[in-house]
Amino acid sequence: MSLLIQGGRVVTAVDDYHADIFVEDETVSLIGRDLDVKADRTIDAAGRLVIPGGVDPHTHMDMPFGGTTSADDFETGTRAAAFGGTTTIVDFAIQTKGHSTLEGLEAWHEKAAGKAGIDYGFHMIVTDMEDDRLWEMRRLADEGVTSYKMFMAYPGVLYVDDGTLFRAMRKAGEDGTLVCMHAENGIVIDEIVKIALAEGKTAPKYHALTRPTRMEAEGVHRSIAIAEVAGVPVYIVHLSCADALEQVTLARDRGAQVFAETCPQYLFLDLSHYDHDDFEGAKYVMTPPLREKWNQEHLWRGLGFGDLQSISTDHCPFCFKDQKVLGIDDFSKIPNGGPGVENRMSLVYNGGVVGGRLSVNKFVELTSTAASKLFGLFPKKGTIAVGSDADIVVFNPDRRETISIDNPHTHHMRVDYNAYEGTEVQGVSEIVISRGRVVVEDNVWHGRAGGGNFLKRGLFGGPF
Ligand code: URP
Ligand code: ZN
Ligand code: ZN
C-alpha cells in the first residue's frame, strides 16, 4: 500500500517547507517537490499543514483508581486520541504493591492488546521496590519499558517513601532509564485534607484549596535533589504552577538533568472552574488541581524558553454522573482525573500558535518531537523524515470548531462531559495516518481495534 500526500506545508520541530511525501507500507520513503511516483492513493494537502502525529506521553486508559476505573479503555481512548491528531500514547502500567512489576506489565499488555487503535508504549508505576526486586527494572527496560513513574502523592495508594524513591532512582540511573515524578507532598496534603473535612468543607473546590502550590514545589525540589544524588534524569509530570516551575528552572540552571511537562488543563483552565455551588466542580478534580489563572503565563514562558519540554494530557477521564459522584459528600473521594486526549493538539495550536505564543515548529516539538526523544521513540516517531514511521496528520490551520460534548468533531472520548466545553479553537486535525494507514478522515474512524502496536522504547538518549 502506498500513499502520496501532495502539496502540503511540511512542518516538523525544525523544518517548514512545501513538499510531497511518499509513504510505502508503514514508513516515509521519499520527500520532495512534485514527486513523480505512482501511489495507490493520493491525498491533496494543499492549504494544510502536514505534521508528525502527536505523541502524548501521559495517559491513563482503563486505569483502576479512586474506587473505579478510568472511563476510556485502550480502544475508545486511542480512537479518540487519533481523532484529535495523536498517533502515539505512552500509558502507565501499574505494579500492585507487593507484586512483581513484570506482572503489572503483563496485565497492561492484556488491557491494550487487540484494542489500541494507534501505537502505544508503557511507563511502569512503581509502588514498592525492595532490594530483591531491583533486577526487574533491567528486565522492564529490556522489554521496552524504559521509564518509571513514582508518586509522592496519594499516601496509602500509589505513594512511595523517599527510600523507595532513591533505591528505584539509583537503579534506573544505572540502567540508563528515566524516572517520571508525580511531585507533591502527599503526606502534608493529607493532613490539610483531614483538617478541611473536620471543618465540614466537603465541596469539590476544597480539593484545590487543600493542595497548595508550595507542596507541589516542595515535591519537585525534593524529587530533583534525590534524583541528582541517585544519578538519574528526572521528568516532572503534570507541572501545574509557577512555584513548581521555579524549582525546575533553578535545577536546570545548575545543570541538573531535569525535564518537565505541563498539560492543557493548566494552560487553559483555572481555579475559577471550581466556583460552583453544586457539584459541577468535580469535573475538574484532578491532581495537581487547577491553579490561579496568573500561573498560566508562567507556564507559557516555561514552554517558550525550554524549561518545560512537552505538553501531555494526563488523560484520566471519569464520568460525571456515575463516577465523580462517588465524592458527592466528600471531595477526597472524587476520582482524580479529567479527559483531554482528543483536544490537546487543537488547544495547543490555538492557544500557542494562533495566540502568538509559540512558533509552529515549537508546537510540533511540544506535542510530538520532544516526547519522542525523551521516551526513546525518536526518530521512528516525532518527525517526518525518510525512514520514519508514517504517523502523519493533515492539519487544517484555519478551520474552527467549538469544543463540546455535543460537537461530533471534537468529542469521541467515552466520558459524559468535556473539560473544555464551549472553547472555540482554530486548527483541526483532518486526516490522521498511523503507520501508513489512514485511520481518521472526514471525521470517520477507518482504523481498527488492535491496529496499534506496542512500542518497545529505547533507553534515555541523554540531554538534547
Ligand atoms: O488527577 C490525576 N492526575 N489523575 C491521574 C493520576 C495521576 O496522578 O497522574
Ligand atoms: Zn500523577
Ligand atoms: Zn497521570
Side-chain angles (χ1 to χ4, degrees):
M1 174 74 190
S2 61
L3 206 57
L4 181 65
I5 305 166
Q6 216 167 32
R9 179 179 162 199
V10 181
V11 178
T12 70
V14 291
D15 307 302
D16 188 348
Y17 55 86
H18 282 84
D20 302 340
I21 296 170
F22 185 53
V23 172
E24 285 178 290
D25 298 324
E26 299 193 345
T27 54
V28 173
S29 68
L30 203 58
I31 302 175
R33 285 266 165 89
D34 305 320
L35 290 181
D36 185 15
V37 288
K38 270 206 165 12
D40 295 322
R41 182 174 170 199
T42 298
I43 292 172
D44 178 8
R48 305 289 188 265
L49 305 184
V50 179
I51 58 175
V55 176
D56 187 340
H58 188 156
T59 64
H60 300 278
M61 309 300 177
D62 199 358
M63 182 202 188
F65 197 47
T68 182
T69 301
S70 60
D72 268 319
D73 64 14
F74 278 87
E75 182 173 350
T76 62
T78 57
R79 190 169 59 209
F83 274 104
T86 289
T87 52
T88 300
I89 60 165
V90 190
D91 203 271
F92 291 84
I94 306 181
Q95 174 198 21
T96 305
K97 249 191 182 68
H99 290 254
S100 161
T101 55
L102 300 168
E103 275 172 37
L105 177 59
E106 178 113 8
W108 256 259
H109 273 309
E110 272 168 31
K111 284 173 186 276
K115 286 197 145 193
I118 57 171
D119 291 351
Y120 60 96
F122 293 130
H123 315 274
M124 174 59 63
I125 291 178
V126 169
T127 54
D128 76 57
M129 189 49 68
E130 295 305 328
D131 287 336
D132 60 359
R133 212 184 270 299
L134 285 168
W135 64 270
E136 291 179 9
M137 293 178 68
R138 181 71 238 182
R139 270 283 293 282
L140 288 170
D142 292 342
E143 296 289 324
V145 178
T146 52
S147 47
Y148 309 92
K149 182 177 179 188
M150 286 185 282
F151 289 78
M152 294 170 136
Y154 312 132
V157 189
L158 297 170
Y159 170 87
V160 292
D161 61 26
D162 289 356
T164 305
L165 201 56
F166 178 72
R167 266 193 309 281
M169 279 185 169
R170 200 160 158 260
K171 182 68 169 79
E174 274 170 27
D175 291 344
T177 55
L178 177 65
V179 169
C180 304
M181 284 306 308
H182 181 128
E184 270 188 317
N185 190 322
I187 300 289
V188 172
I189 286 170
D190 265 18
E191 292 298 317
I192 305 173
V193 168
K194 258 198 281 175
I195 296 166
L197 290 174
E199 289 171 353
K201 297 171 175 166
T202 59
K205 71 175 173 194
Y206 292 105
H207 171 74
L209 299 178
T210 54
R211 305 186 94 89
T213 61
R214 290 309 282 165
M215 291 296 96
E216 185 180 346
E218 190 278 333
V220 171
H221 174 83
R222 181 160 39 104
S223 61
I224 292 173
I226 298 172
E228 283 179 276
V229 175
V232 70
V234 67
Y235 177 86
I236 308 295
V237 297
H238 47 47
L239 187 142
S240 72
C241 59
D243 234 1
L245 176 58
E246 185 185 21
Q247 296 303 320
V248 169
T249 307
L250 283 170
R252 286 174 63 81
D253 285 352
R254 70 169 179 270
Q257 284 217 67
V258 179
F259 308 91
E261 65 178 23
T262 189
C263 310
Q265 53 270 35
Y266 306 118
L267 294 168
F268 301 109
L269 307 175
D270 63 72
L271 195 61
S272 66
H273 285 77
Y274 300 110
D275 285 346
H276 290 277
D277 290 334
D278 52 21
F279 193 58
E280 278 293 292
K283 292 178 177 173
Y284 304 97
V285 168
M286 53 190 66
T287 304
L290 302 180
R291 304 300 195 182
E292 288 177 49
K293 195 168 178 58
W294 60 265
N295 286 280
Q296 293 174 355
E297 280 316 310
H298 292 261
L299 297 179
W300 283 111
R301 182 200 51 75
L303 291 166
F305 286 6
D307 284 327
L308 297 171
Q309 287 74 41
S310 173
I311 303 177
S312 72
T313 57
D314 192 9
H315 178 78
C316 189
F318 295 103
C319 289
F320 181 64
K321 287 201 191 81
D322 298 336
Q323 297 182 292
K324 290 285 186 182
V325 77
L326 290 169
I328 188 103
D329 297 320
D330 174 350
F331 70 88
S332 72
K333 295 198 166 61
I334 299 170
N336 285 199
V341 76
E342 181 170 356
N343 305 121
R344 178 182 70 130
M345 303 286 279
S346 288
L347 284 164
V348 176
Y349 185 84
N350 184 71
V353 181
V354 179
R357 297 178 175 107
L358 302 175
S359 70
V360 72
N361 300 105
K362 192 76 181 174
F363 160 70
V364 171
E365 185 184 317
L366 290 168
T367 54
S368 177
T369 317
S372 301
K373 288 183 175 176
L374 283 160
F375 294 107
L377 293 169
F378 189 83
K380 203 170 145 77
K381 308 293 187 191
T383 195
I384 297 176
V386 172
S388 291
D389 280 359
D391 286 6
I392 296 172
V393 174
V394 179
F395 190 88
N396 186 338
D398 302 314
R399 188 167 135 199
R400 289 166 187 274
E401 291 287 348
T402 300
I403 296 176
S404 170
I405 182 137
D406 298 321
N407 181 348
H409 292 274
T410 64
H411 192 106
H412 299 82
M413 298 171 286
R414 191 167 65 183
V415 59
D416 61 357
Y417 72 99
N418 191 299
Y420 304 94
E421 187 67 33
T423 304
E424 200 194 336
V425 287
Q426 180 186 325
V428 174
S429 301
E430 289 187 330
I431 300 178
V432 181
I433 298 162
S434 165
R435 269 185 295 103
R437 292 163 298 126
V438 172
V439 291
V440 173
E441 187 172 13
D442 294 331
N443 201 33
V444 174
W445 174 241
H446 297 284
R448 65 178 176 85
N453 285 349
F454 172 67
L455 297 164
K456 272 188 153 192
R457 294 181 293 112
L459 296 176
F460 179 71
F464 58 90

